[in-house]
Amino acid sequence: MKEYINQYLDRYRKGDYYPWHMPGHKRQDVFKDDFWENMFLRDFTEAEGLDDLHEPELFMKDSLEQMQRFYGTEKTYMMVNGATGGILTALYACAPEGESVLMGRNCHKSVCHAVSLLNLKPEYVVPELLPGTDIFADITPKQMEQALNELKKTDRLPAVVVITSPTYEGVISDICGIKNVLEPYNIPLIVDEAHGAHLPFMPKRNLSAVAAGADLVIQSTHKTLPSLTQTALLHVNRKELIPKVERYLHIFQTSSPSYLFTQSMEKAVVYAGNHPEVFDAYRKRLKHFRKKCKELRHIRLLQPKQTCYAYDKGKLVFTVSGVHPAEPGTDSRNDIPATGPWLAHVLAAEYQQVVEMAGTHHVILMTSFADKKKAFEHLYEILKHIDSELTEAADKAGRNADQMNHADSMSVLPDMENAVLCSTGFHLPEQVMTPGAAWRLDSSREKLAEAEGSIAADYVYAYPPGIAVITPGEKIDGQVIRDITQMVETGLNMIGVEYQTDGIYIPVTEPVR
């Protein structure tokens, strides 16, 4: 593979063209700073002798056609405002306003926003949970077939199906099987593969939704490939969708796409395509690390076996249990249950290891082939040390159990009963109106504890990953209130809630009478 964009721009710079056009830095050392000077030297715009990402005719056209050949798609596009722009484009290209959409309940907030903007009628497929966790498993072809059969009974077949694979936690669905289920209905399949840009370069390339034949696939190149933040690819495998896709790309992409972003994406894909050996070495490092983690007792690495279609082992998902030691000088009975936010804080504050996100009982660490052997070894030693402290604390609590009353003994155990994604599955609230309809209504803030019976006016979710506990138009019930309360108390980063001195507030419309 060749770097068409980068090679052309290197030649262009040597031509000593003076820019009487944007951008305002004029490719000069404005700040007398080597970093910015180098950035500005490579920051171009659409001008005579250069190219336009929206209407590529020169080196960008060559680069995109090369990507199309490599991925085996009908068309591949570079996205300069992330996977979000690609998802909005894909939904608008497939779903007329007001139609139904069948989507995984674990879809990203960008999918939900497109649903609201188009006033689509969402129907949900809720994945099961991985055994013993609060983490969504895959969506299966059987679940998809059952959902379609139910919708057929009331003439509500969707205009499009949207699922996430791999998920934030690395769970991969059987895209080929799901596509086969949809084929008789001619329903397009959109796959949010934001976390799977590396999959086409791994040994089992067919785990990527692109190779599996999904109609539209969106990948964030910045998540798992060495590309700048805010870069992504949109792949089209259904030729008749191309005109609509290109129409909406003009809307959801800036009219001044960053040349730095396009150079970054091309370089990442070309490097990955030309260096299969780095992915082989990466796979071996992961295998060795995951094997060592089996020795840990309270910080357990998620290693699904035969509980989902496939799994991206580049995602390190650690569930945590037990209790962590109390502060020095305090009563041992005040030991506190270890949670995902606690583990994330300890890793960052005490060991300078910053995780991607924390859930109620787990943390997610994202890896790429840039993570070297030394980094994995250092991480393991840290986890081993934290794990040993958790074990000692649990043993201590156990030895003192006969001296503690029942209330005290319960205080050292994680409250799994009220987890947002509890062992019995995800709670799906009643949908009273479409998200788009609720979004357009006037709203007010209501105290969460008193909101039962009201209709949500906005999305409430922990971010990351952005999976909605409740969406606009859904009825707030007791379980929703308990779920959100627990997420707040656990310390998750909550979006859609407002903290006031007298409690938590959420946006609502008129209550259901």
Side-chain angles (χ1 to χ4, degrees), residues 56-88:
E57 296 179 341
L58 303 171
F59 49 91
M60 284 189 178
K61 182 173 183 287
D62 292 335
S63 184
L64 289 169
E65 287 178 348
Q66 176 179 239
M67 288 190 184
Q68 176 186 332
R69 291 191 299 271
F70 173 78
Y71 287 104
T73 62
E74 291 289 346
K75 211 74 178 284
T76 289
Y77 302 90
M78 292 184 186
M79 304 298 302
V80 296
N81 59 336
T84 294
I87 287 171
L88 290 170

Side-chain angles (χ1 to χ4, degrees), residues 7 38 40 45 72 86 91 104 116 138 180 229 235-236 286 311 377 393 415 431 448 474 494:
Q7 290 174 5
N38 289 326
F40 289 162
T45 190
L91 263 296
S116 294
D138 56 329
N180 289 338
T229 298
H235 303 284
V236 181
L286 286 170
Y311 187 70
E377 290 175 344
D415 180 13
Q431 184 174 306
L448 176 63
E474 289 181 339
M494 298 299 295

Side-chain angles (χ1 to χ4, degrees), residues 176-240:
C176 187
I178 291 172
K179 178 64 180 171
N180 289 338
V181 170
L182 299 178
E183 202 71 45
Y185 304 97
N186 196 34
I187 298 172
L189 172 63
I190 298 173
V191 177
D192 176 358
E193 196 172 73
H195 284 265
H198 63 296
L199 292 179
F201 305 96
M202 297 297 282
K204 293 184 179 179
R205 181 176 176 176
N206 63 339
L207 291 181
S208 169
V210 181
D215 297 292
L216 293 167
V217 182
I218 302 94
Q219 299 173 329
S220 289
T221 50
H222 71 92
K223 285 184 169 67
T224 55
L225 291 179
S227 183
L228 290 174
T229 298
Q230 201 174 310
T231 57
L233 296 175
L234 170 58
H235 303 284
V236 181
N237 280 326
R238 184 184 283 211
K239 197 169 185 177
E240 60 265 31

Side-chain angles (χ1 to χ4, degrees), residues 13 38 80 97 106 191 277 283 354 366 404 485 487:
R13 285 172 52 212
N38 289 326
V80 296
E97 187 171 354
N106 59 335
V191 177
E277 72 280 0
R283 180 186 60 81
V354 183
M366 288 182 62
M404 300 164 65
T485 301
M487 295 171 81

Side-chain angles (χ1 to χ4, degrees), residues 490-502:
T490 304
L492 302 186
N493 178 39
M494 298 299 295
I495 306 297
V497 301
E498 183 179 298
Y499 303 99
Q500 298 186 16
T501 54
D502 61 339

